[in-house]
Amino acid sequence: MTTTSTTKFDVAVLGGGIVGSSVAYFLLQEDPGLSVCVVEPDPTYEFASALRASGGCRVQFTRPENIAMSLFSIDFIRKFESNMIANGRPAPVDWVEGGYLFIVPPEQTTGLERNVRKQLAAGCVVDLLSPSELKAKFPSMNVADIGAGAHTPHDGWCDPNGLLWGFRRKAIELGATYIQDRFADGEVDGSAVRSVVLESGNRIVADAFVNATGAWSGEVAAKFGMKLPVSPMRRFEHYFTAGSPVESLPYVKDTARLAFRSEGKGFSGGLVDGSEQRGFNLDVDHDYFERVVWPAVAHRFPAFEAAKCHRTWSGLYEVNELDGNPVIGAWNKRLPNLYTVSGFSGHGMMHAPAAGLGIAELIVHREFRTIDLTKLGYERVEANEPYAEEGIL
Ligand SMILES: Cc1cc2nc3c(=O)[nH]c(=O)nc-3n(C[C@H](O)[C@H](O)[C@H](O)COP(=O)(O)OP(=O)(O)OC[C@H]3O[C@@H](n4cnc5c(N)ncnc54)[C@H](O)[C@@H]3O)c2cc1C
C-alpha cells in the first residue's frame, strides 16, 4: 500500500527549469524567511528548453519592458559566476561578450533606425551601420541586399546549463526544496488555488503558486481552468563549420529569422520556422540544415559555400500565440494567487533573471519594484490585446 502526504509551503513553483529556478532564487533573496518548493520531475532536464538553447542575450527589442529585462539580465549574467557562488563553489556561465548584429533589407531600414532610437533612449549601446560600414567590420559578409545593420557590442551569449544549475544550486543553498515529481492537478475554490496534486499522489498546499513550466505551461494552466495561449514549437539548432576562413562573428540575425553566432572553431545557430506545427515533437530533421539554413547562410557569407553541419538538435520554444511576448503576473480576476511566468517565445533564457525577480517582487511586495512588467500581465490575454514587438524577431 502506498501512502501519500500533504506538505505546506508559502510558495510552490511548478517547473524547475531556468525560469522556475530563477523565481525560487529571487523569492528567497526578497524574503529569506519564506518556505519555497520547486516541483520538477526531471533533474536531468532531458526535454527542458533551457538545455537546448543557444545562449543568446541581447538588448535589441522594442518594448520597454523587454529592453529593461535584457539590460538587467545581461548585467546579472555577466556577474553570475562570482555573485552566485553556492556552498563555496563558483557558478560559471561562460559569458562571451560577442555582440549581436541585426541586419535588414533596404525597405526595413527606417524601422531598424526607429528601433535603434528606442534602444538608445533606454540606455543601450547600439551602433547603426551602413552596408559599407558593415563590410569594413565583417569582411566576409555579402552586403549587396542589406539596407542597414544594428550592432550591440555588449550583448553576447552564455552557457544555459551553467545558468540553470547556478540558479538551482543557489536557490537550494538559500533554502528552496526541489521536489522530484510532476504537477498533475490544481485544487481551486471560489477565489484561490488551495493546493496542487502531484503525479505521486502527494499534495502541496501553499499561499502562492507559480506556473513556470515553459512549453508545458499551457497544459498546466488548463488544469486550473485558465486559458494560456502558450504552445510548444519545435526549433532546430545546428553546430557547423564554414569550410573557408571567416572572422569571428557576433550573433547575426536577419528578418528571415536566420540566427547564428561563433562557437569555438565553428558556428551555432539555425533558422526559425514560425509556421512549424505546434506540439511536443522533438524529432530531428537531418536535412533541415542543407535545405533551409545552408542556402541562407551561404548567401549572407559566401565563405559558407562549403559549410559542414556536424550536429543538429531540436528543442521547444514556448510560444505565446497572442503576441510572442511572455506572460508575467497573477490571474487577478479569478485566482490571484496563481502566477504565470511563461510564453517567452525564444527569449526565456536571457530574460529568466529579470522575470524571476519580477514574479518574486509581485509575490513578496505585491508590486513590481525593479522593472514595471504590468503590461506583460495576463490581463492583455483576457482582453485579447496583443502587446507584440515591432519588427524584431
Ligand atoms: C533551440 C533553442 C534555442 C534557443 N535559444 C535561445 C537563446 O539564444 N536565448 C534565449 O534567451 N532563449 C533561447 N531559447 C528559449 C529558451 O530555451 C526558453 O525560453 C527557456 O528555456 C524557458 O525556460 P523555462 O524554465 O520556462 O522552460 P524549461 O527550460 O523548458 O523548463 C520547464 C520545466 O518545467 C518542467 N515541467 C514540465 N511539466 C511539468 C509539470 N507538469 N510539473 C512540474 N514541472 C514540469 C520541465 O521538466 C522543465 O524542466 C531557445 C530555445 C530553443 C529550443
Side-chain angles (χ1 to χ4, degrees):
M1 198 181 89
T2 53
T3 54
T4 56
S5 64
T6 298
T7 320
K8 164 84 176 71
F9 291 91
D10 293 325
V11 186
V13 181
L14 310 177
I18 207 155
V19 172
S21 296
S22 168
V23 170
Y25 163 75
F26 279 111
L27 278 167
L28 290 159
Q29 280 290 337
E30 292 301 305
D31 183 352
L34 284 179
S35 60
V36 175
C37 76
V38 181
V39 179
E40 170 55 54
D42 180 13
T44 73
Y45 295 104
E46 184 178 1
F47 303 116
S49 304
L51 297 199
R52 293 161 183 258
S54 171
C57 306
R58 48 143 160 131
V59 295
Q60 294 207 43
F61 288 91
T62 55
R63 293 297 185 187
E65 293 79 5
N66 280 333
I67 298 174
M69 283 203 289
S70 293
L71 285 168
F72 175 89
S73 298
I74 290 172
D75 187 52
F76 191 86
I77 290 168
R78 191 182 287 122
K79 300 170 186 159
F80 199 87
E81 176 161 1
S82 51
N83 282 359
M84 297 292 278
I85 292 172
N87 297 314
R89 189 169 157 189
V93 290
D94 297 337
W95 171 248
V96 178
E97 197 170 275
Y100 256 72
L101 178 68
F102 274 50
I103 45 178
V104 298
E107 62 275 17
Q108 292 189 29
T109 303
T110 312
L112 188 72
E113 287 167 358
R114 194 180 49 234
N115 297 347
V116 167
R117 280 197 296 278
K118 284 185 188 165
Q119 290 147 11
L120 287 169
C124 305
V125 177
V126 199
D127 300 317
L128 193 64
L129 302 173
S130 66
S132 57
E133 289 169 324
L134 282 168
K135 189 76 186 164
K137 221 172 168 60
F138 308 108
S140 298
M141 191 186 288
N142 164 21
V143 299
D145 54 353
I146 290 180
H151 184 225
T152 37
H154 301 312
D155 288 350
W157 49 89
C158 70
D159 166 24
N161 183 50
L163 200 63
L164 190 163
W165 278 97
F167 271 127
R168 180 173 165 143
R169 289 196 184 104
K170 193 70 185 171
I172 291 171
E173 186 192 64
L174 296 177
T177 303
Y178 275 67
I179 297 172
Q180 190 179 341
D181 210 331
R182 187 183 299 275
F183 160 84
D185 211 354
E187 296 181 316
V188 168
D189 70 10
S191 59
V193 182
R194 295 298 166 208
S195 53
V196 289
V197 181
L198 307 182
E199 201 172 49
S200 62
N202 290 338
R203 179 175 272 102
I204 293 174
V205 175
D207 298 329
F209 297 83
V210 182
N211 180 359
T213 50
W216 295 265
S217 60
E219 288 182 349
V220 167
K223 299 275 187 182
F224 296 99
M226 177 187 192
K227 282 189 189 145
L228 183 67
V230 175
S231 348
M233 185 191 92
R234 180 178 62 164
R235 193 215 127 159
F236 298 120
E237 182 82 7
H238 318 269
Y239 178 75
F240 52 101
T241 45
S244 322
V246 179
E247 65 274 11
S248 180
L249 293 177
Y251 210 131
V252 180
K253 278 182 84 103
D254 74 10
T255 49
R257 300 191 83 176
L258 171 69
F260 75 106
R261 61 171 174 82
S262 290
E263 172 64 47
K265 292 191 172 122
F267 300 86
S268 182
L271 198 155
V272 181
D273 175 7
S275 66
E276 169 77 24
Q277 203 183 349
R278 305 314 196 231
F280 291 98
N281 175 15
L282 286 166
D283 292 349
V284 173
D285 174 354
H286 289 284
D287 294 331
Y288 191 82
F289 181 84
E290 187 130 347
R291 207 175 61 244
V292 180
V293 184
W294 174 76
V297 101
H299 169 73
R300 185 55 57 217
F301 294 89
F304 283 84
E305 197 61 38
K308 183 165 184 257
C309 181
H310 299 264
R311 193 181 155 223
T312 297
W313 65 96
S314 61
L316 296 170
Y317 267 14
E318 70 290 27
V319 176
N320 180 355
E321 306 287 2
L322 178 72
D323 58 15
N325 268 326
V327 175
I328 303 177
W331 189 9
N332 291 311
K333 272 197 193 146
R334 170 74 184 87
L335 298 172
N337 69 336
L338 176 61
Y339 297 81
T340 302
V341 55
S342 171
F344 292 88
S345 313
H347 312 135
M349 192 220 70
M350 70 179 91
H351 285 162
L357 173 61
I359 287 290
E361 288 178 344
L362 213 48
I363 292 174
V364 174
H365 309 297
R366 318 301 312 159
E367 62 182 8
F368 293 119
R369 291 200 167 166
T370 306
I371 304 170
D372 184 359
L373 300 173
T374 310
K375 285 192 176 161
L376 293 177
Y378 183 62
E379 285 75 11
R380 80 184 194 283
V381 179
E382 290 177 301
N384 197 23
E385 284 171 3
Y387 185 61
E389 287 293 304
E390 291 163 1
I392 295 272
L393 304 162

